[in-house]
Amino acid sequence: MDRLSVEALRPFTKVVDEKLQLDLFLKGVRCGHCVHKIEKALNSEENLSRYQFQEDGHNLQISAPRVEDLAKIISLISQLGFEAIPIQEGEDHKQKILEFKKALKQLAVAGVCAGNIMLFSTAIYLGAPENFRQFFNGLSMLLVAPVLFYSAQPIWRGFGKALRHLQFNLDVPIALALVFGTSLSVVSYFTGGESLYFDSIAVVVFIILSSRFLLNQYVSGIYRRNLVTLIPGVFQARVFRQGKAQFVAPSDLNRGEEVILYRGESCPVDGELISEVSVFDHAVISGEAEPLSLSRGDKVYAGAKLCQGEARVRVSRVGDQTRVGQIVSAALSSVKTGDEVGFRYVQWFTLFVLSSSFLGFLYFLITAGPALAFERSFALVIVACPCAISFGLPLIQFLSGRLCLKNSMLVKDPSKLHQLKNINQVCFDKTGTVTEPKVVVNKEDLFKFSERQRQQVLALELSIDHPISNGFKAFVDGNEELPAVTDFTYLPGRGIEGQVLGQKVSVLATDAGAQGEKFLSVVIDDQAVGKIGVSSDVKLSFQPLLQFLARQQKKISIISGDQAEQIEPIWKLVPKEARHQCLASVTPEEKKVFIKNISGPSLMVGDGVNDVAALNAATVGVSMPGALESNQDFADVALLKGDLTLIQTLFTISDKVNATHRRLFTFTAVYNSLCVILALMGWITPVWAAILMPVSSVTVIALVTTRLGVRPWK
């Protein structure tokens, strides 16, 4: 880039960690293969400090020491055939709208022109008079021009990329067929020949663009919701400025400022507790269900929920620098591209078709002359072009994504469904994944106490925001006035105590019982008066899923931040032949390491930011409903219902997808190989090739839709 271009980049850059950071919108990215090509080029760039793909691959964030380095990277991306547009915050949405409108216009032009050309062709095939035939053919030639020069622009760009990098992609045979077909049709029109393929050209372009448009809309629809905040409920922060409390965006906080929190609020920053003893629930980070009692000077992490009273936190880190931000950034930096087996198949088959066409052309040029050589090689390129694959694969992804959505599963990358067949390890988080989110209090135990004692227990329990305490809310009428609590104290890992109705009341945890049930011992004035059973029920759908996975010979692990005694009853539910490993008290980083060390493909099921890195490290990550936005954005599959048997449904859909892939590849291989032979033998003329080309595409649509049991228009 020249100096003017370099200077033009400066307004779009910002300094982050002493490096220049630039956000780019990438035009021309259509699939995981495109992202992979860009990644490969970026990995070889020495002056690139960091890069990070965001959302559906259209957004790229790069960091480098100098603006000249950023300009060089943009130039490198341009050489790959993609347009890298510098953007400021919020501008990516505008670019996507422009891309959407242009794609829709191209599709509309192709559809209108193809429809009219087909009307003219129908009249000709039905025996229109000669003067009308010439007139209709002339109109068809005029109408195919905007299809080729405007609607087919994405195909020409893909063809150009293939030529520049000496590769074979889906657009190569399509572009060559369009060039040969158009050339022959134009020559035939002016010489009075019969080889006119304007209708087939327009229809093929329309079908391909339609399929690609459907897939792009499915993918972009999933990413339409930007990740504004990583912590649920934290959209603003209460900060003490100029002697009074103000609400600001968390990103506007400065190091050293004081954030004020009240009971039930989540901390928007990493910082230091500067108030007295406070109780925080760090489950969003650690997965540990038990809140922690923190004292002045202790660290508080972003996402920690204040369980009782009021607290003040001095800001030390915000945004990406927080522990939550680092976990998410680590996951983002290793986002995996999709499966490209089908596209590699197309590359090799395209090479085969082009080689066969070229060799056939040379043979017939020598033995029969240029006219026959051109006719047969052109027929081969048209009829054997794997165009069916070019929209058959995206159609499978689109329809399988729709099928998952119909079954309450949101699939971010439908190509992941193809990989489920190889999964041999399934890992579960505990809290909120295999257990119900709400704690159940044994009603019979509670009502064994006297009315006064029950009021004392309820008043004490509702003085703190805690999973166990929340279970007692079901026994309190909204209008009921409970006794006041004084001298409230939280005893980490043990329970709570305070003064209620003039007596010292303590509710203390005892050892866990069968099936994970806990007992709370109620002590009044140092005298034990009874016990209350509480439990976090295992989801009813967990055991049927375990039985299914065992039948499928999958190995099962449970990895959780909870204590071993809380996990052990759940681990006993796993069939012995399917058990792999049970890990307790693990950190998010340790979860990620465990997943990475698994030999073979793995599936991880979890919720919360503490599972983000593990979900991303797994071959397929599945998030539970109600999980954090960051979790659902980095998981490959997000369950929209808490029913774990949906994972069994996911495997069933995966089997359908793989069977559809096999059906598609088998049909394509047999059909195209047969067409190559018949075209070279002269049994398929260019006219019949033009007829068979859309017929094969319609056949593929029938194969895909009948196997998956859905229709794209429903």
Side-chain angles (χ1 to χ4, degrees), residues 330-350:
L332 269 172
S333 63
S334 59
V335 169
K336 302 178 284 293
T337 56
D339 179 33
E340 299 173 12
V341 174
F343 296 104
R344 288 198 298 270
Y345 165 86
V346 171
Q347 288 182 343
W348 284 105
F349 195 84
T350 300

Side-chain angles (χ1 to χ4, degrees), residues 81-281:
F82 305 98
E83 185 178 356
I85 304 174
I87 58 173
Q88 294 179 338
E89 189 174 358
E91 288 188 355
D92 59 330
H93 182 62
K94 297 179 182 178
Q95 291 293 338
K96 288 180 181 178
I97 291 177
L98 292 175
E99 287 275 292
F100 171 80
K101 289 182 177 179
K102 184 175 181 180
L104 195 59
K105 288 178 182 177
Q106 290 173 332
L107 182 60
V109 168
V112 170
C113 293
N116 283 280
I117 292 174
M118 289 303 298
L119 289 176
F120 299 144
S121 298
T122 301
I124 293 173
Y125 294 146
L126 292 177
E130 183 61 32
N131 57 334
F132 280 100
R133 289 169 61 91
Q134 191 70 6
F135 177 67
F136 287 156
N137 284 330
L139 288 178
S140 297
M141 183 173 63
L142 293 176
L143 286 173
V144 85
V147 175
L148 291 172
F149 296 110
Y150 178 68
S151 297
Q153 285 180 2
I155 297 174
W156 301 125
R157 283 198 297 267
F159 181 58
K161 293 175 192 175
L163 292 181
R164 284 193 295 272
H165 299 283
L166 300 178
Q167 295 177 342
F168 295 97
N169 59 27
L170 292 167
D171 293 320
V172 171
I174 300 173
L176 290 178
L178 295 180
V179 170
F180 278 111
T182 304
S183 301
L184 183 59
S185 299
V186 171
V187 171
S188 296
Y189 173 77
F190 286 106
T191 58
E194 296 289 331
S195 302
L196 299 173
Y197 311 107
F198 298 126
D199 50 356
S200 294
I201 290 170
V203 169
V204 166
V205 172
F206 175 69
I207 291 176
I208 292 174
L209 293 181
S210 298
S211 179
R212 291 179 179 179
F213 183 82
L214 287 174
L215 179 64
N216 288 337
Q217 291 314 299
Y218 172 75
V219 174
S220 63
I222 291 177
Y223 291 99
R224 197 169 290 131
R225 175 174 49 85
N226 290 328
L227 185 61
V228 179
T229 176
L230 305 178
I231 309 166
V234 178
F235 299 98
Q236 57 185 0
R238 189 186 296 103
V239 62
F240 200 72
R241 290 178 178 174
Q242 299 176 351
K244 61 180 181 179
Q246 302 178 19
F247 286 102
V248 299
S251 58
D252 292 336
L253 292 170
N254 300 312
R255 183 183 178 91
E257 288 191 302
E258 296 180 12
V259 173
I260 307 168
L261 301 174
Y262 293 108
R263 174 181 167 180
E265 295 181 346
S266 297
C267 185
V269 298
D270 282 359
E272 176 186 336
L273 184 65
I274 57 176
S275 55
E276 298 300 328
V277 177
S278 298
V279 181
F280 282 90
D281 179 0

Side-chain angles (χ1 to χ4, degrees), residues 332-555:
L332 269 172
S333 63
S334 59
V335 169
K336 302 178 284 293
T337 56
D339 179 33
E340 299 173 12
V341 174
F343 296 104
R344 288 198 298 270
Y345 165 86
V346 171
Q347 288 182 343
W348 284 105
F349 195 84
T350 300
L351 178 61
F352 169 70
V353 170
L354 293 178
S355 301
S356 301
S357 177
F358 178 71
L359 293 176
F361 179 81
L362 292 180
Y363 173 78
F364 290 111
L365 181 65
I366 297 172
T367 60
L372 185 63
F374 182 79
E375 180 177 316
R376 293 196 178 182
S377 61
F378 177 52
L380 191 156
V381 169
I382 292 179
V383 77
C385 167
C387 298
I389 289 285
S390 70
F391 68 86
L393 291 176
L395 187 61
I396 290 175
Q397 294 189 19
F398 174 74
L399 294 182
S400 60
R402 287 285 299 271
L403 184 58
C404 287
L405 193 58
K406 184 179 179 181
N407 286 275
S408 300
M409 293 177 289
L410 183 63
V411 180
K412 185 178 76 173
D413 182 3
S415 67
K416 288 290 184 179
L417 294 171
H418 181 67
Q419 301 180 33
L420 279 172
K421 66 176 182 179
N422 300 318
I423 296 294
N424 53 37
Q425 294 269 359
V426 181
C427 304
F428 294 93
D429 176 45
K430 171 188 168 286
T431 305
T433 300
V434 302
T435 60
E436 297 289 355
K438 293 183 179 180
V439 171
V440 179
V441 177
N442 191 308
K443 182 178 180 180
E444 293 182 2
D445 291 346
L446 180 62
F447 277 83
K448 288 178 181 179
F449 294 92
S450 67
E451 178 67 22
R452 176 185 172 88
Q453 291 171 341
R454 190 162 60 250
Q455 290 289 306
Q456 289 174 313
V457 170
L458 292 174
L460 187 64
E461 286 290 347
L462 269 62
S463 296
I464 185 172
D465 194 347
H466 184 281
I468 293 179
S469 298
N470 291 337
F472 285 87
K473 291 181 178 179
F475 303 101
V476 179
D477 191 314
N479 299 321
E480 184 177 357
E481 189 171 330
L482 296 173
V485 179
T486 59
D487 298 331
F488 178 88
T489 304
Y490 173 67
L491 308 172
R494 293 175 54 204
I496 54 178
E497 64 182 21
Q499 291 289 330
V500 187
L501 297 177
Q503 292 180 293
K504 179 183 177 182
V505 181
S506 303
V507 181
L508 306 174
T510 61
D511 294 336
Q515 300 301 318
E517 185 182 39
K518 286 184 178 181
F519 288 98
L520 303 178
S521 177
V522 179
V523 180
I524 299 179
D525 286 340
D526 299 324
Q527 295 291 324
V529 295
K531 291 184 178 181
I532 304 172
V534 295
S535 62
S536 180
D537 289 345
V538 176
K539 292 179 178 178
L540 295 177
S541 57
F542 185 49
Q543 283 189 283
L545 175 61
L546 292 177
Q547 297 300 323
F548 168 78
L549 294 175
R551 290 194 302 271
Q552 297 292 316
Q553 298 182 336
K554 313 291 185 186
K555 290 298 181 181

Side-chain angles (χ1 to χ4, degrees), residues 308-336:
Q308 191 257 340
E310 176 185 339
R312 292 188 177 221
V313 178
R314 180 178 291 116
V315 178
S316 60
R317 291 189 178 93
V318 299
D320 291 342
Q321 301 306 310
T322 63
R323 190 178 178 191
V324 168
Q326 290 173 359
I327 291 174
V328 173
S329 296
L332 269 172
S333 63
S334 59
V335 169
K336 302 178 284 293

Side-chain angles (χ1 to χ4, degrees), residues 654-670:
S654 171
D655 291 339
K656 286 187 176 182
V657 169
N658 287 311
T660 307
H661 271 104
R662 290 192 297 270
R663 203 182 261 194
L664 176 62
F665 289 137
T666 301
F667 169 77
T668 304
V670 172

